[in-house]
Amino acid sequence: EVQLVESGGGLVQPGGSLRLSCAASGFTFNTYWMTWVRQAPGKGLEWVANIKQDGGEKYYVDSVKGRFTISRDNAKNSLYLQMNSLRVEDTAVYYCARGLFGSFFYWGQGTLVTVSS
Amino acid sequence: QSALTQPPSASGSPGQSVTISCTGTSSDVGGYKYVSWYRQHPGKAPKLMIYEVSKRPSGVPDRFSGSKSGNTASLTVSGLQAEDEADYYCSAYAGSNMIFGGGTKLTVL
């Protein structure tokens, strides 16, 4: 059974940093693109970033470029999102998802990031 | 890039059919075959209902169908059931990134 379990969310002040993790199991992690998608409270979905199987290609939504870094550790079957210079507008539930081209067949349960003073 | 355009709400009675539209541009919806649709119940993660415009993942009933014409994609839900009441989001590949629609709240009357 495919499982994606996010962790690392919490309350952080504006300008602060947070590192999200996504533990994957039930599939061959190093053969899939992985993605982070977020959803602000009461709002719609927003693609954040994705990363190729070997980590050699990474793409980001414009609003997080230069602040967020997506990475993966295939030996640990884990996906990460390092978030720096956090802003109030980054407050959201962050989901990791498996897939590419928007065909995300599997999602985690999400982890809430709250940026507030 | 701007979000894809979806109607904020849609509704239908049990057993009826409802179609939700998703309008983009030639750089996203109209430019690639990678349009997906997701259903999201409150407090839950999204669930993939349609991918690559019209394909259904295993386990998704054939009451759900997708299509595309030009820069507009559509999701049709036939034989509405109570469990179909949820938020629906379209998404489209746009080169090196992805775009989601603003979401449509489907109410089963």
Side-chain angles (χ1 to χ4, degrees):
Chain A
E1 178 193 6
V2 173
Q3 282 199 320
L4 298 169
V5 180
E6 301 94 337
S7 60
L11 175 64
V12 61
Q13 292 188 337
S17 298
L18 214 52
R19 188 196 195 204
L20 306 183
S21 299
C22 172
S25 61
F27 65 100
T28 306
F29 182 71
N30 62 11
T31 65
Y32 289 91
W33 281 75
M34 296 296 295
T35 296
W36 288 99
V37 175
R38 67 183 179 183
Q39 186 171 33
K43 302 298 184 181
L45 301 170
E46 181 181 38
W47 170 80
V48 176
N50 58 16
I51 184 169
K52 194 177 179 180
Q53 291 91 327
D54 63 358
E57 292 183 41
K58 306 175 184 180
Y59 300 98
Y60 301 89
V61 67
D62 285 348
S63 59
V64 309
K65 284 180 181 176
R67 299 189 301 123
F68 290 11
T69 301
I70 188 172
S71 63
R72 63 193 296 161
D73 185 335
N74 287 339
K76 295 183 177 179
N77 290 340
S78 293
L79 175 72
Y80 305 101
L81 187 67
Q82 177 67 43
M83 303 185 296
N84 299 330
S85 303
L86 282 161
R87 304 168 179 168
V88 170
E89 55 264 35
D90 294 319
T91 295
V93 173
Y94 284 73
Y95 296 99
C96 69
R98 189 190 90 176
L100 182 61
F101 302 132
S103 301
F104 305 130
F105 286 74
Y106 297 96
W107 297 65
Q109 84 290 348
T111 186
L112 176 62
V113 172
T114 303
V115 184
S116 174
S117 55
Chain B
Q1 285 187 312
S2 301
L4 305 175
T5 300
Q6 295 181 235
S9 63
S11 63
S13 300
Q16 289 186 332
S17 295
V18 169
T19 297
I20 299 171
S21 63
C22 170
T23 301
T25 69
S26 58
S27 296
D28 39 67
V29 174
Y32 306 92
K33 67 176 182 178
Y34 302 111
V35 176
S36 300
W37 289 91
Y38 296 87
R39 181 174 73 180
Q40 187 180 35
H41 289 117
K44 301 294 186 180
K47 177 183 178 180
L48 182 65
M49 307 302 287
I50 295 289
Y51 69 102
E52 293 183 14
V53 177
S54 60
K55 297 179 180 179
R56 278 188 311 276
S58 174
V60 172
D62 60 7
R63 302 187 296 106
F64 292 84
S65 61
S67 63
K68 187 181 81 167
S69 177
N71 298 334
T72 298
S74 298
L75 171 72
T76 297
V77 185
S78 305
L80 274 174
Q81 300 180 2
E83 67 189 47
D84 297 330
E85 183 160 299
D87 293 323
Y88 289 80
Y89 295 92
C90 62
S91 75
Y93 176 70
S96 59
N97 57 13
M98 296 294 311
I99 304 175
F100 283 94
T104 297
K105 182 175 181 59
L106 176 58
T107 301
V108 180
L109 302 171

